Amino acid sequence: MSSGAGRVDTRLVGAAPGGWKPKRASPDFVKRTTGQVIGGVAPAGHPAPIRTLVDVPLREHDPPWVAAGIADSLVALSYRELRSPALPGAPGRR
């Protein structure tokens, strides 16, 4: 999860320990996996747990406004809340 102004460097993420090789998700994959469309994907509440990484620069937003499941709705969650395993449907949060 990164800000709209940022882009995830998949090579950098893939170089981290753990052997995970991330790649950009296609719009079809996002819709099938989350039930939501790109531009409106909420950080939690997906049909099944999704490994989610939260970009550190999001902590500079007070608070970060994140998509709430549809393209034209937002919710304010603190950086701490975004990283919390207590966020509903948030197993695998880092």
Side-chain angles (χ1 to χ4, degrees), residues 51-93:
R51 183 175 187 180
T52 303
L53 305 174
V54 180
D55 199 9
V56 173
L58 287 175
R59 69 180 172 202
E60 296 171 19
H61 297 270
D62 186 27
W65 286 84
V66 298
I70 57 175
D72 59 356
S73 65
L74 299 171
V75 64
L77 294 173
S78 70
Y79 181 74
R80 183 181 203 153
E81 289 170 316
L82 286 175
R83 297 204 52 220
S84 172
L87 189 64
R93 204 49 100 226

Side-chain angles (χ1 to χ4, degrees), residues 22-55:
K23 62 181 181 178
R24 296 212 187 280
S26 71
D28 182 58
F29 175 84
V30 172
K31 177 69 171 167
R32 276 193 332 263
T33 306
T34 68
Q36 302 163 13
V37 297
I38 290 176
V41 178
H46 306 125
I50 298 171
R51 183 175 187 180
T52 303
L53 305 174
V54 180
D55 199 9

